[in-house]
């Protein structure tokens, strides 16, 4: 990031624009590849179901605004671009939406975004307490994510066992000697 922040604004903007365009399109094409590959497996009946065809029509019609707005969010952009690929959004709608979103993203990060990032790093580097607070915050976030995933997998494990004919309802049959 430091190499980009040291560039004049226009070069930083262009570099960020190119980076986000490549990333968004790579994610889109990964989704398209997964959809195409899934159609060559037993998932084909689900991927070609009436519900999926309706979803693809909705994505084709209304997905472009979602793609553009996703660039203004954190953590949603990849999911939206992947969904656009999985839903086979037409390129005539996807590319313009990606260009608009990438322009906004590059503009934000070339001005406010990178300045805020640099300010946070400078504050943390200048104050041992701020650095400790950042580390504790990152550790707390990692722990919360881990606990969420563990609790979710345990819930899923229990619900899977309840449906299992072998492990679900255990009935104890008494053993009668000589019977």
């Amino acid at each position: 990031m430091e190499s980009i922040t040291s560039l004049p604004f226009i070069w930083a903007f262009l570099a960020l624009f190119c980076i986000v365009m490549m990333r968004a399109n790579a994610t889109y094409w990964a989704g398209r590849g997964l959809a195409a590959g899934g159609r060559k497996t037993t998932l084909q009946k689900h991927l070609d179901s009436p519900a999926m065809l309706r979803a693809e029509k909705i994505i084709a019609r209304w997905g472009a605004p979602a793609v553009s707005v996703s660039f203004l969010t954190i953590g949603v952009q990849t999911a939206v671009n992947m969904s656009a690929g999985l839903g086979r959004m037409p390129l005539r709608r996807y590319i313009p939406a990606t260009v608009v979103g990438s322009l906004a993203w590059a503009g934000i990060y070339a001005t406010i975004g990178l300045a805020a990032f640099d300010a946070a790093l400078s504050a943390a580097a200048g104050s041992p307490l701020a650095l400790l607070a950042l580390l504790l915050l990152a550790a707390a976030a990692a722990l919360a994510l881990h606990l969420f995933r563990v609790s979710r997998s345990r819930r899923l494990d229990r619900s899977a066992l309840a449906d299992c004919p072998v492990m679900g309802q255990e009935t104890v049959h008494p053993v009668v000697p000589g019977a």
Side-chain angles (χ1 to χ4, degrees):
M1 280 299 206
E2 191 168 318
S3 61
I4 292 176
T5 59
S6 65
L7 295 173
F9 171 78
I10 190 66
W11 293 112
F13 177 84
L14 288 173
L16 290 167
F17 175 78
C18 290
I19 289 167
V20 75
M21 279 293 291
M22 287 187 290
R23 181 179 174 270
N25 279 282
T27 306
Y28 171 83
W29 284 106
R32 287 291 290 245
L34 287 170
R39 283 182 167 74
K40 295 177 182 168
T41 67
T42 56
L43 293 175
Q44 180 180 7
K45 63 182 176 189
H46 301 292
L47 293 172
D48 290 334
S49 69
M52 276 300 291
L53 295 175
R54 273 194 313 275
E56 286 178 2
K57 285 181 183 177
I58 291 170
I59 289 171
R61 174 74 175 107
W62 299 104
V67 168
S68 294
V69 171
S70 74
F71 285 86
L72 304 176
T73 64
I74 296 173
V76 177
Q77 178 183 349
T78 302
V80 170
N81 286 308
M82 180 69 74
S83 297
L86 286 168
R88 299 187 300 180
M89 177 187 269
L91 283 175
R92 70 180 186 281
R93 292 182 186 266
Y94 179 76
I95 296 296
T98 305
V99 169
V100 168
S102 296
L103 288 169
W105 187 89
I108 290 169
Y109 274 85
T111 56
I112 301 165
L114 293 178
F117 182 74
D118 280 345
L121 284 180
S122 296
S127 165
L129 289 177
L131 182 59
L132 180 65
L134 272 172
L135 291 173
L136 287 174
L137 185 63
L143 178 64
L145 179 64
H146 172 72
L147 292 174
F148 173 76
R149 286 182 175 173
V150 167
S151 70
R152 186 162 187 255
S153 69
R154 285 185 181 164
R155 261 186 279 138
L156 291 174
D157 289 346
R158 278 191 224 116
S159 66
L161 285 177
D163 295 338
C164 178
V166 175
M167 298 297 292
Q169 301 291 339
E170 284 196 32
T171 54
V172 178
H173 298 288
V175 177
V176 180

